[in-house]
Amino acid sequence: MRAVDIRGGKGDANALFINPEVQKPQPGESEALVKIKAFGLNRMDLLQREGRYPVPPQTPSTLGVEFSGTIESLGPHIAEKGFKIGDEVFGLAYGGAYAEYIAVSTHMLIHKPKELSWEEAAGIPEAQCQPQTWITATQALYLVGEFFPGKSVLWHAGASSVSIAGIQLSKSGGASAVYVTASSREKIDFCVNELGASQGFNYKEQDFAKEIDKATGGKGVDIIIDFIGQDYFQQNLDAAAKDGRIVTLGALSGTKLPAGVDIGAFVRKRLRFEGSSLRSRDAEYQGRLRDKLAETAMPKFKDGSFKIYVERVFRWEQVIDAHKLLESNATKGKIICTIE
């Protein structure tokens, strides 16, 4: 089969090419072989391409963790009922989605609603770090952040795909307020006017912790979802409410804290700081998360209440241009590649 490969095993975007001689996978136990129609790009793909992302041991060398397509065959001993050859599905994988075919556990598949296009469906599953979505947002908000109605939420990188999903999930779930940070007024206006966020802060011009303090009358925010790490650590502690949760999904600014960071808020506010990664989770965990997404979000995809924002669709032959656009950090929503 054909699959996107990397010359020399790692490199910049120009090292990507379509290799016509990659071995076609065969479905193992509890797996389906899916013929891919579209796949989504994520920032982890950039890091993996450069050799800077620690992948799980079972991960294939081919990039890509989210896809949509049709089931071509099923392996033996499929534990989950309800999947058959010809089904239109989308899902999450440990890797291998930049290809014509992928073998993936049925625990990580969801039937594609007819209301969604292949491109929209491919943009639902994953997202680590920044603009990379619905499954990650669901995990961060519900499973790690322990969200329930009445809680307030701060989504950093508000115009990223994870936060676009998270803002909608928070509002639909009954959040008392939803705040965002972003790098421009255009992105903040998008989050507030299009997605319904309560308020947004330009992190280049404002101290978001001080703005949160003003907006909440000194209470702080209950749940903070962060992708930035080092540069936001102190402000996150300052912005959090008592008994607050800080969920970190990435560290785009780095992982080493500067001298002078005051961690007293952990005790004073009884804070919980928890990191999480979706890709390293086992298939059973991902299956439970898939079920949570199906319960909370799929009906709203079908009726149009939840919107999937696709920045741009490329043919997979343009994967170099797609990676360069993602690297520009100028996007709102997903970048998708399609396979004819």
Side-chain angles (χ1 to χ4, degrees), residues 230 233-235 237-238 256-264:
Q230 170 185 295
F233 190 84
Q234 184 68 69
Q235 286 173 285
L237 296 183
D238 295 342
K256 300 192 183 296
L257 300 181
V261 168
D262 181 0
I263 63 171

Side-chain angles (χ1 to χ4, degrees), residues 11-304:
D12 62 19
N14 292 311
L16 297 172
F17 72 104
I18 295 179
N19 185 346
E21 299 180 349
V22 175
Q23 185 173 357
K24 182 179 178 180
Q26 298 300 314
E29 289 198 10
S30 300
E31 287 188 331
L33 180 69
V34 177
K35 182 174 175 59
I36 293 178
K37 294 282 191 178
F39 59 83
L41 273 62
N42 292 290
R43 193 161 294 273
M44 72 173 79
D45 301 342
L46 308 182
L47 298 174
Q48 185 177 339
R49 187 199 71 211
E50 295 170 349
R52 299 192 294 121
Y53 190 93
V55 298
Q58 69 271 44
T59 304
S61 60
T62 302
L63 300 174
V65 297
E66 57 184 344
F67 60 90
S68 62
T70 57
I71 294 178
E72 181 166 287
S73 63
L74 294 167
H77 311 303
I78 296 294
E80 278 193 284
K81 304 300 181 185
F83 290 103
K84 64 183 185 302
I85 293 171
D87 281 355
E88 297 182 350
V89 296
F90 65 93
L92 183 65
Y94 291 110
Y98 285 26
E100 291 182 301
Y101 296 91
I102 189 169
V104 62
S105 168
T106 55
H107 286 308
M108 300 154 89
L109 292 177
I110 299 176
H111 287 97
K112 183 182 83 68
K114 67 180 186 303
E115 293 85 356
L116 297 182
S117 69
W118 294 113
E119 293 83 0
E120 289 172 325
I124 291 176
E126 172 62 41
Q128 288 275 101
C129 302
Q130 201 180 306
Q132 305 167 17
T133 71
W134 287 89
I135 287 180
T136 295
T138 299
Q139 179 197 31
L141 187 65
Y142 285 100
L143 273 65
V144 184
E146 298 183 344
F147 171 81
F148 56 83
K151 291 288 187 181
S152 57
V153 188
L154 167 62
W155 290 90
H156 288 306
S160 73
S161 291
V162 178
S163 293
I164 287 172
I167 293 164
Q168 295 178 77
L169 286 168
S170 303
K171 283 187 61 63
S172 173
S176 59
V178 183
Y179 303 104
V180 300
T181 61
S183 61
S184 69
R185 171 48 55 185
E186 178 190 7
K187 290 184 176 181
I188 290 170
D189 288 345
F190 167 74
C191 293
V192 173
N193 299 330
E194 288 282 328
L195 303 177
S198 307
Q199 197 171 345
F201 314 109
N202 186 331
Y203 65 82
K204 292 182 176 180
E205 301 174 355
Q206 298 171 288
D207 182 328
F208 69 80
K210 291 181 179 178
E211 298 301 323
I212 287 287
D213 187 70
K214 294 177 190 175
T216 62
K219 177 183 181 296
V221 69
D222 297 311
I223 301 170
I224 298 173
I225 314 293
D226 181 43
F227 315 88
I228 309 304
Q230 170 185 295
D231 289 354
Y232 283 11
F233 190 84
Q234 184 68 69
Q235 286 173 285
N236 283 337
L237 296 183
D238 295 342
K242 280 189 177 179
D243 298 310
R245 303 285 188 261
I246 301 171
V247 181
T248 182
L249 301 180
L252 293 176
S253 67
T255 58
K256 300 192 183 296
L257 300 181
V261 168
D262 181 0
I263 63 171
F266 279 113
V267 176
R268 186 174 68 255
K269 297 183 180 180
R270 303 186 297 268
L271 300 181
R272 189 178 79 187
F273 181 99
E274 186 169 349
S276 185
S277 170
L278 180 56
R279 196 175 188 182
S280 61
R281 302 284 192 172
D282 61 34
E284 182 181 348
Y285 175 94
Q286 295 193 6
R288 294 199 305 271
L289 188 54
R290 177 208 60 186
D291 293 342
K292 182 66 175 177
L293 177 70
E295 170 195 335
T296 58
M298 290 309 296
K300 295 184 180 295
F301 288 131
K302 292 179 180 180
D303 68 19

